[in-house]
C-alpha cells in the first residue's frame, strides 16, 4: 500500500446541522486515511504481511504508527517536520451518511525521495490510494511506484477516492494517469463520473475495457464486478445497522483484495468486501476493531 494516513475528527449528529449556532454531536478523534484504512482491513481479513508507505507530520507520527502496528500493519511512516498530519472532518448524519472536509497536510507531500524500489521486494500486489493523484508531489510518487510495479509484473489496484476531486482534476486527465492499473475500485458516483453513463453497471463494464478488473460498490445496494467489457458478478449487500459510513468503501477494498490474493474468484471477493463494508458501518471511524 502506498497511501494516506490521516487524523479523522468524526462528528456524528442526529439532528440536522444548525447554521450559525450549536448542534449536539458525538465527536471522536480517530486514526484514518483511505490508504491506511484499506491496509488495516486487509490485515483484519487475514493477509499476513500488509505494508504501507505514507507521510505524516511529526505532531502525531508516533500515535499513527502505533495504531497501524496494533492493526498488524507494517508501517513505513515518513515524518514531516514542516507540514502537520492531514486532518479530515467527517460529518455523519442520522442516516449514517458522511460528508468530508479534507485538509491537505503531510499525506499529499509524499515525495519520490520517500519511495524505494526495494519496497516491492516480496510483494504480490500494490494498492495505491486515489487521494495521492490529486496533488503534484504525491501523484509523481504514486506514478513512480506504479511504473516500478509494472516492471516487476506486480499487479496494481487503485480506488478513485473522491468524485469531487476527480471532477476538479478532470476525468480525462485522471484516467490518463491511471494507465497500467489492473484493478479499479470505484464507488457508484465515481464510476458514473468517469464514464458519463447513468447506470453503474454500464459504467463498470465500460471502465473494464480500460482496466482489466473493476469492482464497483453500490452502498446499500451491494457491489458488482466487471471484466473485459462485461458484467461478471452482482453481489447483494450484507445487512447491518449503520452508525457511520466512513470507511465502508475502504473496508470493501481491503477485504476484496485480501480475498483475491487468497485465491477467491471475483464474486467471492466482492461478497467478502460487502461483508467487511457492512461491518465497517456499525462502528465510528474507518478502521476495523483491534483483534
Amino acid at each position: 500500500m502506498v497511501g494516506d494516513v490521516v487524523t479523522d475528527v468524526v462528528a456524528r449528529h442526529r439532528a440536522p446541522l444548525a447554521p450559525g449556532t450549536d448542534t449536539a454531536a458525538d465527536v471522536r478523534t480517530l486514526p484514518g486515511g483511505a490508504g491506511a484504512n484499506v491496509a488495516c482491513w486487509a490485515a483484519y481479513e487475514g493477509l499476513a504481511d500488509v505494508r504501507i508507505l505514507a507521510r505524516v507530520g511529526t505532531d502525531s507520527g508516533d500515535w499513527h504508527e502505533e495504531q497501524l502496528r496494533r492493526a498488524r500493519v507494517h508501517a513505513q511512516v515518513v515524518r514531516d517536520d514542516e507540514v502537520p498530519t492531514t486532518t479530515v472532518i467527517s460529518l455523519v448524519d442520522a442516516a449514517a451518511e458522511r460528508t468530508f472536509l479534507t485538509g491537505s497536510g503531510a499525506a499529499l507531500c509524499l515525495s519520490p525521495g520517500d519511495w524505494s524500489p526495494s519496497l516491492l521486494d516480496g510483494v504480490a500486489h500494490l494498492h495505491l490510494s486515489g487521494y495521492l493523484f490529486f496533488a503534484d508531489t504525491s501523484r509523481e510518487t504514486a506514478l513512480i511506484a506504479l511504473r516500478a510495479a509494472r516492471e516487476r509484473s506486480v499487479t496494481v489496484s487503485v480506488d478513485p477516492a473522491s468524485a469531487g476531486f476527480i471532477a476538479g482534476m478532470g476525468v480525462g486527465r485522471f484516467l490518463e494517469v491511471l494507465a497500467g492499473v489492473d484493478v479499479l475500485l470505484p464507488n457508484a458516483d465515481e464510476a458514473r463520473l468517469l464514464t458519463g453513463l447513468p447506470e453503474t453497471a454500464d459504467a463498470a463494464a465500460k471502465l473494464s475495457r480500460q482496466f482489466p478488473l473493476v469492482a464497483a460498490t453500490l452502498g446499500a445496494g451491494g457491489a458488482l464486478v466487471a471484466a473485459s467489457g462485461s458484467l461478471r458478478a452482482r453481489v447483494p449487500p450484507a445487512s447491518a445497522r449503520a452508525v457511520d459510513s466512513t470507511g465502508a468503501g475502504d473496508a470493501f477494498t481491503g477485504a476484496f483484495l485480501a480475498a483475491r490474493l487468497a485465491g477467491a474468484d471475483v464474486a467471492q471477493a466482492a461478497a467478502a468486501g460487502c461483508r467487511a463494508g457492512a461491518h465497517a458501518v456499525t462502528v465510528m471511524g474507518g478502521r476495523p476493531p483491534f483483534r
Side-chain angles (χ1 to χ4, degrees):
M1 161 64 65
V2 180
D4 48 325
V5 172
V6 313
T7 300
D8 281 346
V9 179
V10 182
R12 184 173 177 240
H13 56 97
R14 293 174 177 80
L17 293 175
T21 186
D22 296 309
T23 301
D26 180 5
V27 181
R28 301 186 193 179
T29 300
L30 300 166
N37 294 346
V38 169
C40 291
W41 279 102
Y44 187 83
E45 291 294 319
L47 278 188
D49 185 7
V50 182
R51 314 171 196 174
I52 185 169
L53 171 67
R55 181 176 276 261
V56 299
T58 55
D59 56 322
S60 59
D62 291 345
W63 179 65
H64 277 295
E65 196 165 73
E66 172 64 13
Q67 295 298 309
L68 290 165
R69 185 195 66 76
R70 290 184 65 194
R72 304 195 307 277
V73 172
H74 303 285
Q76 180 164 329
V77 179
V78 180
R79 306 295 206 279
D80 195 310
D81 295 326
E82 299 180 359
V83 182
T85 301
T86 300
T87 298
V88 173
I89 309 297
S90 179
L91 305 176
V92 183
D93 64 19
E97 185 57 64
R98 84 289 186 274
T99 299
F100 292 149
L101 302 175
T102 304
S104 51
L108 299 185
C109 295
L110 189 70
S111 70
D114 299 329
W115 170 260
S116 169
S118 64
L119 292 171
L120 291 175
D121 291 350
V123 168
H125 182 80
L126 171 69
H127 181 74
L128 299 171
S129 171
Y131 282 108
L132 298 177
F133 292 94
F134 302 124
D136 292 341
T137 300
S138 57
R139 179 169 58 251
E140 182 181 1
T141 308
L143 291 175
I144 290 171
L146 172 58
R147 288 193 293 270
R150 301 305 297 169
E151 289 170 1
R152 294 192 181 203
S153 299
V154 172
T155 54
V156 182
S157 58
V158 171
D159 62 289
S162 170
F165 287 166
I166 292 169
M169 180 179 182
V171 167
R173 187 182 180 204
F174 185 74
L175 290 172
E176 181 180 351
V177 300
L178 295 189
V181 167
D182 301 284
V183 184
L184 192 70
L185 296 131
N187 64 26
D189 289 341
E190 293 155 0
R192 293 192 294 261
L193 174 64
L194 289 170
T195 60
L197 297 176
E199 297 297 330
T200 306
D202 295 337
K206 181 176 180 179
L207 286 169
S208 71
R209 298 187 188 105
Q210 180 173 351
F211 307 100
L213 182 63
V214 175
T217 55
L218 308 174
L224 52 83
V225 182
S228 303
S230 63
L231 194 64
R232 298 300 176 87
R234 186 184 291 271
V235 178
S239 61
R241 182 177 179 274
V243 170
D244 175 11
S245 60
T246 302
D250 302 332
F252 176 91
T253 294
F256 180 89
L257 294 175
R260 286 291 288 164
L261 288 168
D265 63 30
V266 293
Q268 292 168 334
C274 287
R275 289 193 297 271
H279 186 178
V281 302
T282 65
V283 297
M284 285 185 68
R287 302 273 181 93
F290 294 123
R291 280 179 168 164

